[in-house]
Amino acid sequence: MYRHFNYDSFRQGQKEIISDVLHGKDVLGVLPTGSGKSICYQLPAKLVDGVTIVVSPLISLMIDQVKELKAAGFKDVIALNSFLPFIEQQRVLNNLDSYRLIYVSPEWLQKRKHQNYLKQLPVKLFVVDEAHCISQWGHEFRPDYQRLHEVIEALNHPPVLALSATATPDVQADIIQSLNKPAMKRHIYPMDRNNIAFCVKEVDNDQEKLERIAELTKSYFVPALIYFTSRQTAEETALSLSAKLPKRNVAYYHGGMEASERLRIQQQFMNNQIDIICCTSAFGMGINKPDIRLVIHYHLPLQIESYIQEVGRAGRDGESSVGVILYHKGDFRLSANMVKNELPSIEVIDQLIATILTCQSTQVDLPSPEQLHILLDINEGAARFIQRQLQKYGLIRDSEWFIDEKKWKYVREGIVQYLEERQLYKNDKLNELYRWVQTGKCLRQTLYQPFQDEFGEPTEQCCSNCGFDWNKWVPEPLFKMPEASSPLNWRIKLQKTLNMEEA
Amino acid sequence: MLFQGILVDCFQKINQERTSSSVYNLLIGKKAIQTIQDARFYHIADYYGIYPGLAKDDYRIQLNQLIELDYLREDNEKKLQITKKGRSWLASCKTNLDGFAGAKYANVMETFKQRLLLFIQTITNTSKKQYLFIPISDNYEVEQFVKGFYKQYKQRSKEVLHQLYKELEKALSGLSDLEASMFVDRITSYYSYGSSLQQLSQDYQLSIPDCFLILQKGFYRLLRVQEYDNDYPMLRLFTKNLAISDTPLSQTAQLTLRLLQKKHSFKEIMQIRRLKANTIQDHLVEIAMHEAEFPFFDYLDSAIYEEIKEVVHSKQTYRLKEIKNNVNPDISYFQIRLALVLYNK
């Protein structure tokens, strides 16, 4: 472990999982966020004589991980996904046997041609990361995950390792069933993080949220994340915070920014050049900053699992940290609206089909199914939903439309029903989250209850319902170097930049 | 301000003869023959390709602001013209607009930039014995170059850093302190990740496009000094194997040129390449612009050339349509375009 990753000990669960994996067993591992899940396959990938394939749902996360591994000296690793430029992909596919660890997106994996490339390799471990995506009852259901068992079969059943940080017992059962591995060994660890205290604060309006955040960040000089569901609010808040806090370095981060600019912000945060980041859920995946002390939610996510993931970025070093939730009465409606827009309405689908039928009858060129969002004004998630449903019923095949009026009439009812089911499910998840926020009982217990029966003692304070007192929270402040900031000093800055301060 | 100045300058120079999207194409460095031709004819080649990532929407927003400020006005044909107010505003910020050399370094800029920045990140880290860091560029070619370069110099990192400092300091001294300071802030080195554009925009209270363009200006300056001055041996190394030329011939035009050099006729070239006459004509215009020697008078005789020249003078225009309407109807668009290339040589 030390030799490969510079860690001198295993964390809870790692050793058990790795040892089973090395013995060729199929394993389901559920470990809390921030506990070093990825080591569970990265170390075996180094040790086994053969190739490890990792299915990962988020392309940006996958790319970050590859960058980090390369930076840590693990060079024979690659990420394969549909964003790889064609020539680059060809170069990689022709040299596929020179890699030890291969990350793939589930979409990429569905292509027969791609599977054939993988079949040539001595695959010794097949990893399903974020395995809760398999389950319809997981909060990030990805239909492509449900076909992974076919890929595993095509690869002649290498040992399978499924990993998740947020899997209730129902979801765990779903994962095992869908992968078709009933004998899977389960390693389930409690998710509660005993060094994070929870603090819910109801306010009257957004202005008050901002004031509260300014107060907190003024009195605590520690690395902090502030979560938003809107990119615009994240940007605006970052700007007004940096005006209010001249001594702090505040930045924003969201999925709408260019990749290289995002990387700059991430790395500056790692280096403590920035200490407060206003971000959307796009931030944090794969970020391994150990000393984040405050995770504030200006907006709540849409389900408990996401909240657990986001707040779990605090205190990975085990030191005392706090998760703060600021909310007001109007927030629920905002969230409910977002839930609604995540799925298309049946009217929108009807309209799409009508457009397609008209185009076909008048022989107008149609955009490909991947681009159906051009035909309609809907968000990406909703477009993906429609695509999957039409695929499921064979109305889209191999990126071509196969639609006529009769077929549509035949499948419409099924889609309506499924839509209603999903909508209900998502509403339930949202209600569950808001019930939690408003509970009078212990926040820690209520939060983790769906996942486990027993709880560890908090290392310091518990939560605002158990008498959390800010005066008793005294984290160690960041050490900061004063910076020469006048443009006139650029020569001095340049000397520093080029390591010439000694000269 | 800088970005708006450049826009107003462009619209003044094209003098309502071209649309606003032609200026957009110029700024992003579109490789179309029309854009390259525009850059030359209207003397705006220095702006060619200086803003590759410019989004069309952002461009529109800026134009609308300029219209609102009454620096630009839309004429009946929806073309933009500079106003009196715009003219005097432009005169007041004129000096700021110098320092770009877009067309000249179009093929070199991006690679040069990435090589230099990645090398600085690499050498500052390794000279502090830090071998693990996340590279700012993951372009394969650039990575390979820096790897090779690094191998060659890693034993002498102190010396290399010293020389780099000397050259950068000298080169950046030719810019304003603000421009130099922004340039330095953008550099990523040992445990110090360079500022993002948003951060520069906050720190210097300038718009994001202005920050971007000021950085570009810095890189153009480096490219220029290493080419013309012998005091920059280190910077010159970063242009290795990059062909500095005015927007090179497109691949397809190169093939046509080769056939031309083998003395194939126009008809034969069409047949061999299985392309339409129009396309081959485009190639010929492109070749005429690039090659020092082009047989212009195989395609137009001197009487035709004089006639076209006359119209350009009397009408004060480069607009193809207007010229066409004022010359003998037998003269083709192709001939007019060639004549204009010759006229500008």
Side-chain angles (χ1 to χ4, degrees):
Chain A
M1 185 72 167
Y2 180 76
R3 184 149 57 93
H4 292 294
F5 292 98
N6 225 347
Y7 292 136
D8 39 20
S9 66
F10 287 105
R11 291 212 229 155
Q12 185 188 39
Q14 285 175 346
K15 196 172 167 185
E16 293 76 3
I17 292 175
I18 290 172
S19 133
D20 272 351
V21 165
L22 290 177
H23 282 100
K25 290 185 188 149
D26 296 321
V27 178
L28 169 64
V30 178
L31 292 165
T33 40
S35 58
K37 264 188 303 153
S38 31
I39 293 294
C40 294
Y41 58 82
Q42 286 167 356
L43 184 61
K46 274 267 178 198
L47 299 178
V48 298
D49 186 21
V51 176
T52 297
I53 292 176
V54 182
V55 186
S56 170
L58 261 178
I59 289 171
S60 56
L61 172 63
M62 164 175 358
I63 292 170
D64 282 354
Q65 281 188 334
V66 168
K67 272 189 189 151
E68 267 172 49
L69 283 170
K70 279 191 176 165
F74 195 154
K75 301 279 182 197
D76 29 12
V77 35
I78 186 75
L80 294 172
N81 56 63
S82 29
F83 283 94
L84 212 59
F86 181 75
I87 296 174
E88 182 79 3
Q89 167 152 323
Q90 238 20 65
R91 193 176 62 76
V92 171
L93 285 177
N94 291 332
N95 295 301
L96 209 52
D97 52 359
S98 62
Y99 299 98
R100 211 166 236 288
L101 180 53
I102 300 173
Y103 285 85
V104 294
S105 68
E107 291 80 10
W108 192 91
L109 203 50
Q110 290 309 323
K111 294 231 163 84
R112 192 55 42 90
K113 194 180 88 194
H114 295 156
Q115 290 179 16
N116 286 339
Y117 274 104
L118 297 179
K119 271 195 225 167
Q120 317 287 323
L121 304 172
V123 178
K124 291 289 156 63
L125 178 60
F126 189 90
V127 183
V128 184
D129 203 6
E130 313 293 343
H132 55 267
C133 295
I134 287 181
S135 167
Q136 287 212 39
W137 314 119
H139 60 292
E140 292 167 318
F141 173 47
R142 293 281 291 261
D144 279 334
Y145 261 65
Q146 288 194 328
R147 300 174 60 186
L148 288 179
H149 65 96
E150 296 167 19
V151 183
I152 293 171
E153 202 179 309
L155 293 174
N156 217 358
H157 292 281
V160 175
L161 168 63
L163 289 167
S164 172
T166 53
T168 57
D170 288 352
V171 173
Q172 293 165 21
D174 254 14
I175 294 171
I176 292 173
Q177 201 207 349
S178 170
L179 290 175
N180 209 1
K181 298 273 175 197
M184 234 179 179
K185 191 128 192 247
R186 298 185 188 209
H187 287 280
I188 316 293
Y189 293 89
M191 319 227 319
D192 58 320
R193 297 277 308 277
N194 51 9
N195 63 324
I196 301 179
F198 298 91
C199 200
V200 172
K201 170 100 180 143
E202 186 174 347
V203 297
D204 288 333
N205 49 44
D206 284 347
Q207 184 55 35
E208 218 182 309
K209 286 185 184 177
L210 185 61
E211 282 161 19
R212 188 70 196 128
I213 289 172
E215 264 171 52
L216 279 175
T217 44
K218 213 174 236 163
S219 31
Y220 291 107
F221 213 103
V222 292
L225 284 181
I226 309 173
Y227 274 100
F228 299 81
T229 50
S230 131
R231 291 173 179 177
Q232 200 190 339
T233 322
E235 285 191 16
E236 286 166 4
T237 312
L239 294 180
S240 64
L241 271 184
S242 55
K244 279 183 189 197
L245 309 164
K247 286 189 193 144
R248 305 294 301 269
N249 288 319
V250 189
Y252 59 82
Y253 182 106
H254 57 66
M257 290 158 58
E258 209 194 304
S260 63
E261 298 285 292
R262 285 207 310 260
L263 180 67
R264 281 175 192 272
I265 301 293
Q266 255 181 39
Q267 292 303 312
Q268 288 177 13
F269 190 53
M270 297 295 288
N271 289 350
N272 291 330
Q273 290 169 264
I274 295 174
D275 42 62
I276 301 174
I277 294 195
C278 296
C279 59
T280 62
S281 57
F283 187 81
M285 297 285 182
I287 293 287
N288 278 320
K289 189 171 171 62
D291 58 349
I292 300 172
R293 291 281 161 266
L294 257 177
V295 173
I296 303 175
H297 277 79
Y298 183 104
H299 292 136
L300 278 167
L302 303 180
Q303 61 276 315
I304 275 188
E305 285 87 345
S306 306
Y307 178 74
I308 290 178
Q309 235 164 38
E310 287 168 7
V311 79
R313 306 211 161 99
R316 295 201 167 176
D317 55 4
E319 297 293 317
S320 167
S321 310
V322 181
V324 180
I325 292 170
L326 300 169
Y327 85 103
H328 61 69
K329 293 257 149 47
D331 283 349
F332 181 76
R333 221 183 25 199
L334 192 79
S335 303
N337 243 330
M338 291 185 63
V339 167
K340 210 173 131 204
N341 291 331
E342 275 189 334
L343 292 172
S345 68
I346 187 66
E347 288 79 22
V348 166
I349 307 182
D350 278 334
Q351 192 194 328
L352 172 77
I353 302 288
T355 314
I356 291 170
L357 290 175
T358 329
C359 285
Q360 280 174 345
S361 64
T362 53
Q363 314 228 303
V364 175
D365 268 349
L366 272 172
S368 78
E370 281 87 30
Q371 314 236 275
L372 64 83
H373 61 269
I374 302 176
L375 292 168
L376 295 165
D377 184 25
I378 49 174
N379 72 33
E380 206 185 316
R384 202 162 52 202
F385 178 91
I386 297 179
Q387 218 177 306
R388 302 281 181 231
Q389 287 304 304
L390 297 182
Q391 246 162 14
K392 188 167 111 191
Y393 290 105
L395 273 63
I396 294 175
R397 254 181 287 149
D398 297 329
S399 295
E400 295 287 344
W401 301 100
F402 284 89
I403 295 186
D404 59 50
E405 216 154 333
K406 221 170 113 195
K407 268 198 237 162
W408 171 239
K409 264 201 188 124
Y410 188 70
V411 303
R412 187 176 181 278
E413 199 45 43
I415 294 182
V416 168
Q417 210 173 6
Y418 184 64
L419 250 179
E420 278 170 10
E421 239 171 66
R422 289 306 289 171
Q423 192 77 52
L424 267 176
Y425 171 74
K426 284 178 179 245
N427 284 337
D428 278 353
K429 295 302 286 179
L430 183 66
N431 287 326
E432 182 190 15
L433 177 70
Y434 274 85
R435 265 202 313 279
W436 171 68
V437 169
Q438 290 168 322
T439 184
K441 294 190 215 149
C442 172
L443 288 168
R444 164 186 309 281
Q445 292 213 6
T446 336
L447 181 65
Y448 295 115
Q449 218 144 38
F451 303 93
Q452 63 198 66
D453 302 327
E454 288 173 16
F455 301 93
E457 275 298 304
T459 48
E460 284 192 30
Q461 302 192 66
C462 180
C463 68
S464 52
N465 288 345
C466 297
F468 180 86
D469 182 355
W470 283 106
N471 292 320
K472 287 187 192 148
W473 190 57
V474 199
E476 201 169 312
L478 264 180
F479 171 73
K480 272 283 256 301
M481 296 219 285
E483 274 186 49
S485 57
S486 160
L488 289 171
N489 293 333
W490 67 264
R491 286 185 178 81
I492 298 172
K493 274 195 295 191
L494 183 60
Q495 284 171 6
K496 248 210 239 115
T497 301
L498 298 178
N499 300 349
M500 310 227 326
E501 60 270 57
E502 301 93 354
Chain B
M1 289 294 255
L2 176 58
F3 187 34
Q4 297 196 333
I6 288 171
L7 291 176
V8 173
D9 193 31
C10 285
F11 282 104
Q12 168 172 264
K13 285 184 172 145
I14 64 170
N15 194 21
Q16 286 156 269
E17 293 188 6
R18 318 235 14 105
T19 61
S20 65
S21 44
S22 69
V23 171
Y24 175 77
N25 291 339
L26 175 89
L27 294 173
I28 62 166
K30 194 170 171 191
K31 292 207 169 72
I33 188 73
Q34 186 67 61
T35 306
I36 294 166
Q37 213 164 349
D38 284 348
R40 299 246 186 147
F41 285 177
Y42 299 108
H43 303 285
I44 41 180
D46 282 348
Y47 298 142
Y48 177 83
I50 59 173
Y51 205 156
L54 177 61
K56 198 131 206 188
D57 285 344
D58 294 339
Y59 175 69
R60 286 258 141 240
I61 291 170
Q62 293 281 350
L63 288 190
N64 287 337
Q65 272 177 21
L66 289 170
I67 293 170
E68 226 162 81
L69 286 165
D70 192 29
Y71 294 161
L72 293 179
R73 188 180 298 143
E74 222 165 27
D75 70 9
N76 306 334
E77 290 173 64
K78 290 247 165 203
K79 290 194 171 126
L80 290 172
Q81 85 184 95
I82 186 168
T83 63
K84 213 168 154 192
K85 198 174 161 195
R87 229 175 273 277
S88 62
W89 175 75
L90 189 60
S92 71
C93 70
K94 194 83 189 172
T95 51
N96 275 328
L97 305 182
D98 295 336
F100 293 96
K104 172 148 204 211
Y105 297 114
N107 304 311
V108 180
M109 179 66 158
E110 200 45 44
T111 313
F112 171 76
K113 201 159 113 179
Q114 289 192 36
R115 284 177 174 182
L116 177 66
L117 292 179
L118 184 61
F119 181 73
I120 293 178
Q121 186 189 19
T122 308
I123 195 103
T124 52
N125 272 286
T126 53
S127 76
K128 293 266 193 189
K129 305 262 178 293
Q130 176 64 44
Y131 298 99
L132 309 177
F133 55 88
I134 295 192
I136 44 167
S137 165
D138 49 11
N139 178 305
Y140 181 73
E141 306 292 333
V142 170
E143 240 172 58
Q144 291 309 105
F145 173 87
V146 171
K147 243 184 215 166
F149 200 64
Y150 169 71
K151 262 192 200 139
Q152 209 175 330
Y153 289 98
K154 65 179 171 191
Q155 305 303 337
R156 307 177 357 221
S157 61
K158 220 173 180 159
E159 218 178 300
V160 167
L161 282 166
H162 195 81
Q163 181 63 23
L164 254 180
Y165 174 77
K166 226 171 81 186
E167 295 184 19
L168 284 177
E169 194 273 337
K170 188 168 176 209
L172 296 179
S173 293
L175 300 168
S176 73
D177 283 332
L178 179 132
E179 289 165 343
S181 174
M182 274 176 94
F183 191 91
V184 175
D185 284 350
R186 180 76 168 170
I187 299 175
T188 294
S189 64
Y190 173 68
Y191 271 98
S192 158
Y193 237 81
S195 298
S196 71
L197 288 172
Q198 277 95 352
Q199 288 171 323
L200 290 176
S201 150
Q202 251 171 282
D203 294 348
Y204 291 86
Q205 294 294 305
L206 290 166
S207 72
I208 287 179
D210 281 7
C211 292
F212 178 78
L213 290 169
I214 288 173
L215 292 173
Q216 291 285 84
K217 212 166 154 177
F219 286 106
Y220 285 120
R221 167 137 191 100
L222 300 189
L223 278 170
R224 230 159 346 136
V225 294
Q226 63 81 28
E227 189 179 353
Y228 295 117
D229 192 330
N230 284 327
D231 284 351
Y232 300 92
M234 191 83 206
L235 288 180
R236 189 167 296 166
L237 291 173
F238 290 97
T239 61
K240 204 174 152 195
N241 297 332
L242 298 177
I244 296 182
S245 81
D246 279 336
T247 51
L249 230 40
S250 61
Q251 290 274 336
T252 170
Q254 275 177 29
L255 288 178
T256 301
L257 175 61
R258 219 167 290 154
L259 293 173
L260 208 61
Q261 283 162 344
K262 286 187 184 160
K263 304 282 180 228
H264 285 289
S265 72
F266 189 92
K267 271 240 165 68
E268 284 166 355
I269 296 177
M270 268 174 68
Q271 277 161 2
I272 296 171
R273 300 219 48 202
R274 290 193 219 163
L275 292 170
K276 284 192 211 139
N278 272 336
T279 314
I280 302 293
Q281 287 174 351
D282 277 347
H283 293 169
L284 291 179
V285 174
E286 197 181 334
I287 293 165
M289 281 199 291
H290 283 94
E291 296 300 300
E293 312 248 324
F294 183 82
F296 284 97
F297 293 103
D298 287 1
Y299 304 96
L300 53 145
D301 62 40
S302 61
I304 294 177
Y305 178 59
E306 289 304 322
E307 190 177 342
I308 295 170
K309 216 163 92 177
E310 183 55 39
V311 174
V312 172
H313 275 288
S314 62
K315 296 278 169 190
Q316 278 298 303
T317 185
Y318 286 138
R319 233 157 152 175
L320 298 180
K321 202 167 175 191
E322 198 166 347
I323 298 171
K324 174 90 170 123
N325 288 339
N326 286 286
V327 294
N328 187 321
D330 291 342
I331 297 179
S332 70
Y333 273 114
F334 172 55
Q335 287 172 319
I336 297 173
R337 285 165 69 194
L338 277 184
L340 289 178
V341 173
L342 183 59
Y343 182 72
N344 274 281
K345 275 226 160 174

